[in-house]
Amino acid sequence: MQAPKLQTLFLSLGSNLGNREENLNQAIQLIRQNISTNLSISNIYETEPWGNLNQAGFLNLILKIENSSLLPHEVLEKIQKIEIELGRVRVEKWGERCIDIDIIYFNDLVLEDTQLVIPHPFVQERKFVLVPLADVAPDWVHPVLQKTTLQMLQDCPDGGWIKVYAGL
């Protein structure tokens, strides 16, 4: 029997409710337990909300996960369970949340179905994704746009503020 192909995927984590730093730390621990222990973690960034500006700022980071044997929909199911476990309630699009976990890339896969779109459809428009992504994968090439993370960051139209989070 052939071993499953090991995947490289990128997850974006964000939090703007409660103890944002602790929410991210708990999510990382649950991802280690449920998806893979082989993680590279970007710096944490404090960022302006995107989409709905009438809310508190976010803490955001990117996880680069290597050696996962899970398939895309399996990862989606696991991150949705982690969000629920940490208290995420989906009230409004782009609203406040204690934790938000999105799949940004899954190898060089291009996928679009009713549950999941990979690569994430807004990656090139969001500094809160591109800046931490540049920490762990500056030369990663978007499989559709054929641009590196750094090229997309240079072209990014997002005018929101972003700064390295210094902690409490």
Side-chain angles (χ1 to χ4, degrees), residues 119-131:
H120 192 285
F122 299 116
V123 62
Q124 69 279 3
E125 298 176 17
R126 296 177 173 176
K127 282 196 300 193
F128 71 83
V129 173
L130 291 170
V131 171

Side-chain angles (χ1 to χ4, degrees), residues 18-146:
N19 185 333
R20 301 173 303 166
E21 192 172 358
E22 182 59 25
N23 294 339
L24 293 176
N25 287 331
Q26 287 181 3
I28 291 168
Q29 292 311 313
L30 290 168
I31 288 165
R32 279 192 171 112
Q33 292 169 17
N34 293 284
I35 297 174
S36 177
T37 58
N38 193 349
L39 305 179
S40 298
I41 305 171
S42 73
N43 288 313
I44 297 174
Y45 291 89
E46 191 157 17
T47 65
E48 184 173 32
W50 194 93
N52 175 359
L53 301 179
N54 195 18
Q55 59 184 314
F58 277 80
L59 292 185
N60 292 98
L61 62 80
I62 291 283
L63 296 179
K64 179 181 181 183
I65 300 173
E66 297 179 285
N67 300 328
S68 174
S69 60
L70 298 174
L71 297 172
H73 286 88
E74 293 172 323
V75 172
L76 178 64
E77 182 180 321
K78 288 183 181 293
I79 63 177
Q80 288 176 337
K81 284 181 180 176
I82 290 168
E83 288 178 332
I84 290 167
E85 184 173 337
L86 294 178
R88 168 96 188 250
V89 178
R90 295 178 188 272
V91 177
E92 67 177 291
K93 188 173 186 172
W94 297 322
E96 296 179 313
R97 60 209 90 152
C98 59
I99 193 69
D100 183 38
I101 307 171
D102 289 324
I103 300 171
I104 302 302
Y105 294 123
F106 197 99
N107 292 327
D108 58 357
L109 178 68
V110 177
L111 171 72
E112 185 169 351
D113 65 29
T114 58
Q115 294 178 308
L116 187 58
V117 177
I118 300 174
H120 192 285
F122 299 116
V123 62
Q124 69 279 3
E125 298 176 17
R126 296 177 173 176
K127 282 196 300 193
F128 71 83
V129 173
L130 291 170
V131 171
L133 187 61
D135 288 348
V136 295
D139 298 320
W140 189 271
V141 177
H142 189 290
V144 175
L145 302 176
Q146 293 300 303

Side-chain angles (χ1 to χ4, degrees), residues 7-26:
Q7 314 297 339
T8 298
L9 57 138
F10 296 87
L11 301 179
S12 173
L13 281 67
S15 175
N16 78 333
L17 281 179
N19 185 333
R20 301 173 303 166
E21 192 172 358
E22 182 59 25
N23 294 339
L24 293 176
N25 287 331
Q26 287 181 3

